[in-house]
């Protein structure tokens, strides 16, 4: 039965998916939606995004507001206010897509993503080696060794990605 399909609204999230596909398809064009770049639209989108950002951090993840407002902000069933916030963020991302694309091409994540299978396999080996070298279960406290292990793992994975990307050239 539909009411037992899980924690989220099937049709709401499908609508979100189709909207994302549409925005992605339109971003291939030279200027996907010229009206999005108009100053009033960008100012309204930025104001909405800022209001929802501060509201989220003031009220918390699960607001204890009136049921109508809580339902309008519901993330599992995509409440109407959640859709308004998402649309405002989408407008800002589409307007800044060239800048985001230029940054992404030179980012650490792009380097890791280009050889993601190699990085994943190296990560599995590192995890197994770390688990084999630890004699006792980890405590609830974060120690400097944990931070050093995380930092060295990330640096090692990035170096492996750099070597792999250079090897492909």
């Amino acid at each position: 039965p539909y009411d037992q399909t899980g924690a989220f609204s099937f049709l709401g999230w499908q609508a979100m998916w189709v909207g994302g596909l549409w925005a992605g398809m339109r971003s291939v064009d030279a200027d996907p939606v010229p009206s999005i770049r108009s100053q009033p639209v960008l100012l309204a989108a930025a104001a909405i995004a800022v209001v929802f950002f501060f509201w989220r951090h003031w009220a918390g993840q699960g607001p204890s507001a009136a049921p109508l407002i809580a339902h309008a902000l519901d993330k599992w069933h995509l409440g109407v206010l959640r859709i308004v916030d998402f649309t405002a963020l989408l407008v800002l991302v589409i307007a800044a897509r060239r800048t985001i694309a230029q940054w992404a091409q030179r980012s650490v994540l792009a380097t890791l993503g280009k050889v993601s299978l190699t990085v994943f396999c190296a990560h599995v080996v590192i995890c197994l080696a770390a688990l084999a070298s630890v004699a006792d279960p980890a405590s609830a406290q974060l120690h400097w060794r944990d931070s050093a292990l995380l930092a060295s793992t990330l640096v090692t994975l990035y170096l492996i990605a750099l070597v792999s990307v250079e090897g492909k050239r």
Side-chain angles (χ1 to χ4, degrees):
Y2 179 73
D3 63 346
Q4 296 178 359
T5 57
F8 62 93
S9 170
F10 176 74
L11 294 176
W13 282 96
Q14 289 301 314
M16 179 84 75
W17 173 256
V18 170
L21 289 175
W22 175 83
M25 184 266 319
R26 293 294 304 235
S27 70
V28 173
D29 298 337
D31 198 6
V33 186
S35 61
I36 283 181
R37 292 185 183 272
S38 69
Q39 189 173 10
V41 172
L42 288 176
L43 287 174
I48 290 169
V50 167
V51 164
F52 276 99
F53 177 81
F54 284 111
W55 186 0
R56 186 256 183 260
H57 289 284
W58 174 69
Q61 181 71 14
S64 57
L68 183 63
I69 292 183
H71 183 69
L73 286 170
D74 186 41
K75 88 174 176 184
W76 299 113
H77 296 101
L78 290 179
V80 66
L81 292 178
R82 177 99 32 191
I83 300 278
V84 168
D85 184 32
F86 175 77
T87 303
L89 294 173
L90 179 65
V91 165
L92 295 174
V93 167
I94 288 173
R97 77 186 197 293
R98 287 189 183 106
T99 305
I100 293 169
Q102 289 172 351
W103 171 81
Q105 288 176 350
R106 297 182 306 274
S107 74
V108 171
L109 293 177
T111 304
L112 291 168
K114 289 176 186 174
V115 288
S116 58
L117 181 59
T118 305
V119 170
F120 172 76
C121 292
H123 179 255
V124 169
V125 171
I126 291 170
C127 286
L128 291 174
L131 288 172
S133 65
V134 174
D136 55 356
S139 69
Q141 299 293 328
L142 181 67
H143 295 288
W144 68 269
R145 292 177 303 211
D146 300 326
S147 299
L149 176 63
L150 176 62
S152 63
T153 298
L154 293 175
V155 167
T156 302
L157 292 176
Y158 183 66
L159 292 174
I160 289 170
L162 280 178
V163 168
S164 297
V165 166
E166 290 300 319
K168 286 186 175 187
R169 287 185 191 167

